[in-house]
């Protein structure tokens, strides 16, 4: 598998394929600045994004399993076509399917890109009777851009939810805050889905949080005081933002997290989940997230 991928898609010094646990292939992207990221074809799952000075900006659980049928705990899981629980497997099937490489390259500005594709298979059609093509493009420069294009290539309408369920390396989550959500209405999933409005300019996390913020602004900032940096999060197409941290009790209940992992992670998820997005035949939706690291 890696031999074929290497022959067809590798780029000298910039994009290589490796075999991870269970023989799963992953792509390693390296930008001229020294920035680096790693993506499994399984789930189109980015598990690592490193700055030119070698700082890891994503959280990946040491207990993360990379095995067929299970999602990888950490990095950037892709949620599609269902957010949370429902008729399908939790958070949908995109994160537990093998994606194909569609294209790789270097732009005129020296950005390295990898495009992955997932389309309806017989096994997927058995559980979700729609025809779609997903294209996930990851672009590495000094920043990390990810985009998801959802095309309805069938002959009937379908609705879906989607998210980049990004696990940021929080350093210590108690010293992190999210800026940009003030005034936004949210659904509080740990309080019987009660609705409220965000009152904090800097949202600090000091306990379990699981909220869907609705119709959020394009720009957010994650301040990471412990690691002395901030990450700007720009998103287009994803109108919602999910903020999740299971805190200590929650971490203990999640088998692929260590008990204290809640301190090291913070999920800020560019999402389109409330309401779902509907596509007529031939229509597509595009969601983009741009993450930029700024050292302080
Ligand atoms: O996005 C937040 C959330 O839906 C939480 O409710 C929590 O369950 C989390 O995702 C993780 O879900 P997972 O299926 O990956 O364990």
């Amino acid at each position: 598998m890696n031999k074929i991928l290497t022959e067809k898609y590798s780029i000298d010094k910039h994009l290589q394929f490796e075999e991870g646990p269970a023989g799963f292939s992953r792509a390693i992207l390296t930008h001229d600045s020294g920035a680096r990221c790693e993506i499994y074809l399984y789930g189109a799952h980015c598990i690592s994004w490193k700055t030119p000075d070698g700082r890891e900006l994503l959280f990946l659980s040491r207990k993360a399993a990379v095995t067929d049928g299970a999602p990888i705990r950490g990095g950037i899981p892709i949620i599609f076509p269902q957010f949370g629980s429902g008729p399908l497997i939790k958070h949908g099937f995109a994160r537990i399917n093998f994606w194909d490489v569609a294209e790789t390259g270097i732009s005129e500005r020296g950005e390295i890109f990898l495009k992955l594709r997932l389309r309806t298979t017989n096994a997927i059609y058995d559980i979700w009777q729609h025809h779609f093509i997903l294209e996930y493009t990851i672009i590495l420069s000094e920043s990390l851009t990810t985009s998801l294009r959802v095309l309805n290539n069938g002959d009937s309408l379908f609705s879906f939810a989607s998210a980049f369920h990004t696990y940021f390396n929080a350093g210590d989550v108690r010293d992190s805050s999210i800026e940009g959500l003030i005034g936004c209405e949210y659904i509080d999933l740990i309080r019987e889905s009660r609705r409220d409005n965000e009152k904090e300019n800097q949202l600090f996390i000091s306990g379990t949080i699981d909220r869907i913020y609705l119709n959020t602004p394009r720009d957010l900032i994650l301040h990471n005081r412990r690691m002395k940096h901030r990450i700007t999060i720009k998103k287009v197409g994803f109108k919602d933002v999910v903020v999740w941290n299971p805190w200590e009790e929650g971490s203990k209940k999640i088998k692929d997290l260590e008990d204290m992992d809640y301190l090291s992670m913070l999920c800020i998820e560019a999402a389109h989940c409330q309401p779902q997005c509907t596509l007529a035949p031939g229509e597509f939706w595009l969601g983009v997230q741009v993450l930029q690291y700024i050292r302080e």
Side-chain angles (χ1 to χ4, degrees):
M1 173 74 158
N2 281 331
K3 190 161 175 276
I4 301 168
L5 290 171
T6 298
E7 279 168 12
K8 212 166 164 195
Y9 295 111
S10 67
I11 305 171
D12 191 30
K13 298 192 185 71
H14 293 297
L15 200 156
Q16 275 73 45
F17 291 92
E18 272 186 9
E19 210 170 89
F24 288 6
S25 300
R26 60 178 179 225
I28 320 288
L29 276 60
T30 311
H31 182 252
D32 277 339
S33 64
R36 200 171 180 273
C37 69
E38 293 185 27
I39 302 111
Y40 273 104
L41 305 194
Y42 177 69
H45 199 130
C46 179
I47 55 154
S48 168
W49 170 38
K50 281 190 178 159
T51 61
D53 52 356
R55 190 176 282 217
E56 178 58 71
L57 298 178
L58 299 179
F59 166 85
L60 179 68
S61 171
R62 278 183 292 266
K63 290 168 92 178
V66 183
T67 171
D68 202 359
I72 301 169
R73 177 72 60 195
I76 313 182
I78 298 179
I79 308 304
F80 176 89
Q82 171 187 293
F83 183 83
S85 303
L88 299 174
I89 186 167
K90 188 173 172 201
H91 286 331
F93 48 73
R95 63 179 182 165
I96 53 163
N97 266 276
F98 289 91
W99 294 52
D100 294 320
V101 178
E103 199 183 341
T104 59
I106 306 186
S107 73
E108 280 176 12
R109 288 188 290 176
E111 303 150 323
I112 319 301
F113 72 87
L114 166 71
K115 186 189 280 184
L116 301 174
R117 192 174 285 146
L118 180 71
R119 50 172 81 225
T120 317
T121 59
N122 290 339
I124 291 175
Y125 194 82
D126 282 347
I127 54 169
W128 200 60
Q129 288 73 39
H130 301 290
H131 290 281
F132 66 87
I133 301 176
L134 300 186
E135 282 183 347
Y136 179 63
T137 307
I138 189 150
I139 305 173
L140 181 69
S141 59
E142 279 92 355
S143 51
L144 183 75
T145 301
T146 48
S147 69
L148 184 70
R149 184 178 187 271
V150 180
L151 170 70
N152 179 347
N153 66 332
D155 50 19
S156 57
L157 282 182
F158 67 69
S159 297
F160 67 92
S162 183
F164 292 152
H165 195 303
T166 310
Y167 288 73
F168 289 98
N169 177 2
D172 184 328
V173 73
R174 295 166 297 188
D175 293 334
S176 296
S177 63
I178 306 166
E179 182 181 332
L181 292 171
I182 190 166
C184 294
E185 189 184 11
Y186 65 82
I187 302 172
D188 195 335
L189 296 175
I190 58 167
R191 289 193 179 76
E192 295 93 36
S193 295
R194 257 189 266 159
R195 291 189 180 229
D196 205 342
N197 282 79
E198 183 53 62
K199 293 170 191 71
E200 305 296 335
N201 182 39
Q202 297 290 334
L203 174 64
F204 281 87
I205 314 296
S206 54
T208 315
I209 185 164
D210 195 354
R211 293 179 185 170
I212 304 174
Y213 286 87
L214 306 169
N215 301 313
T216 54
R218 190 194 65 169
D219 295 354
L220 300 177
I221 304 172
L222 168 60
H223 294 274
N224 188 328
R225 292 173 188 79
R226 179 61 60 99
M227 294 172 76
K228 296 191 172 49
H229 68 237
R230 61 185 189 276
I231 296 175
T232 60
I233 304 168
K234 284 192 201 310
K235 56 185 185 55
V236 180
F238 292 107
K239 50 182 222 40
D240 308 319
V241 168
V242 180
V243 179
W244 179 60
N245 184 295
W247 218 247
E248 191 170 357
E249 280 310 302
S251 268
K252 286 181 177 162
K253 287 186 192 141
I254 298 175
K255 68 174 183 351
D256 51 1
L257 277 182
E258 293 185 347
D259 291 357
M260 302 305 281
D261 273 349
Y262 73 98
L263 288 176
S264 315
M265 55 167 270
L266 178 55
C267 286
I268 306 174
E269 310 165 29
H272 194 312
C273 48
Q274 287 280 345
Q276 294 195 335
C277 183
T278 299
L279 293 178
E283 284 185 341
F284 73 88
W285 169 88
L286 182 69
V288 183
Q289 170 174 266
V290 183
L291 303 178
Q292 191 163 12
Y293 157 77
I294 300 159
R295 195 168 180 163
E296 290 173 344

